[in-house]
Amino acid sequence: AAGGYHSLFLTESGQIFIAGTTVLSVCADESLRLVRMPKHVLVVQVACGTYHCLALTDDGSLLSWGRDSDTGRLGHGRHFDFYEREQATIWDGNHQVTRPRRVTALDGVHVQEVSAGEDHSLCISAEGGLYSWGDPSFGRLGLPLEMPGTDMSFEDRIAAEMEWERWCSVPRRVCETVQFTHASAGLQHSLAVSAQGHLYAWGAAKSGQLGNGIDATHDDDDGDDDDEGAAPVRLPTRVEGLSGV
């Protein structure tokens, strides 16, 4: 699996090795280093985001590690406040998970596929459920979120954003009426394939990456996601003209 600045290698015996400028260091390292996993864990799939890693085990559990974000791309819940975040930098190590940790919010869900984007993550359950968590900007999570309004006072907006980020920092079921088989998290958008072979896309649309023929010249309704006049799609939307995907 290839991330922004690092790579993961999964062996036949279920061990994971990491190389590159890792999520836990700013120093480039060309050597392979073993990732220490919890005991009795057999990994069957790995995924890399820009700054984080995901590992799927043979019993359907999901583990994550790396640099967390204020919107919780690791899926462990938001555990620091706005003022701590304002004083931190992405490299300061304050919000790192240094060893793979089980995503407990998915206990009881048998995960069968994972994907890591820049600042969000997706997974598919054995029952066809699609789950997302992390940064909701551009609608990339596919959840019906009510964005904090611009007419709020500064204090109310900060409080609303904190609650919004806390809600997004653990996995949430997406589009419960559709069963999915595959998902892929990109930079600012997401894709998923349904059990019927239909492709769904959502998130940023300014470069035509959703395949929906969406005109990206319309102004975004909340004005916060993009300064180039994109019109993101906030819910999974079927890409017309494709079948048997």
Side-chain angles (χ1 to χ4, degrees), residues 89-178:
T89 69
I90 197 164
W91 301 109
D92 67 1
N94 286 346
H95 312 306
Q96 292 184 3
V97 175
T98 57
R99 292 186 182 181
R101 179 187 299 173
R102 186 166 54 87
V103 179
T104 58
L106 288 170
D107 285 354
V109 176
H110 189 98
V111 180
Q112 69 175 14
E113 184 181 88
V114 296
S115 181
E118 180 198 35
D119 210 11
H120 74 299
S121 305
L122 303 173
C123 76
I124 300 288
S125 74
E127 293 75 27
L130 170 63
Y131 296 81
S132 69
W133 62 96
D135 187 353
S137 300
F138 305 95
R140 67 186 118 193
L141 296 187
L143 298 169
L145 297 171
E146 188 68 32
M147 311 286 282
T150 56
D151 56 346
M152 296 180 177
S153 67
F154 176 78
E155 292 78 8
D156 289 344
R157 183 173 176 82
I158 292 302
E161 288 181 352
M162 289 175 63
E163 184 59 33
W164 185 49
E165 292 167 354
R166 188 173 292 109
W167 193 85
C168 296
S169 65
V170 293
R172 306 284 178 179
R173 179 81 182 267
V174 179
C175 197
E176 296 188 20
T177 59
V178 179

Side-chain angles (χ1 to χ4, degrees), residues 175-210:
C175 197
E176 296 188 20
T177 59
V178 179
Q179 285 188 315
F180 293 94
T181 57
H182 302 287
S184 181
L187 183 68
Q188 298 170 345
H189 73 297
S190 304
L191 303 175
V193 178
S194 74
Q196 290 73 36
H198 300 143
L199 177 64
Y200 288 76
W202 62 99
K206 70 178 181 180
S207 300
Q209 60 263 58
L210 301 187

Side-chain angles (χ1 to χ4, degrees), residues 34-49:
L34 179 67
V35 177
R36 295 182 61 184
M37 302 295 293
K39 290 183 178 180
H40 310 300
V41 167
L42 178 63
V43 177
V44 295
Q45 186 201 346
V46 292
C48 288

Side-chain angles (χ1 to χ4, degrees), residues 20-97:
T21 303
T22 75
V23 293
L24 304 174
S25 170
V26 297
C27 300
D29 190 343
E30 297 177 356
S31 63
L32 290 176
R33 299 173 305 287
L34 179 67
V35 177
R36 295 182 61 184
M37 302 295 293
K39 290 183 178 180
H40 310 300
V41 167
L42 178 63
V43 177
V44 295
Q45 186 201 346
V46 292
C48 288
T50 303
Y51 300 110
H52 71 298
C53 305
L54 303 176
L56 177 63
T57 69
D58 62 341
D59 65 357
S61 298
L62 180 64
L63 297 93
S64 67
W65 70 100
R67 286 195 179 93
D68 209 350
S69 61
D70 51 5
T71 45
R73 59 184 160 224
L74 297 185
H76 301 302
R78 189 172 178 273
H79 54 274
F80 49 93
D81 63 29
F82 173 81
Y83 299 102
E84 289 177 345
R85 184 221 316 172
E86 286 293 285
Q87 296 169 3
T89 69
I90 197 164
W91 301 109
D92 67 1
N94 286 346
H95 312 306
Q96 292 184 3
V97 175

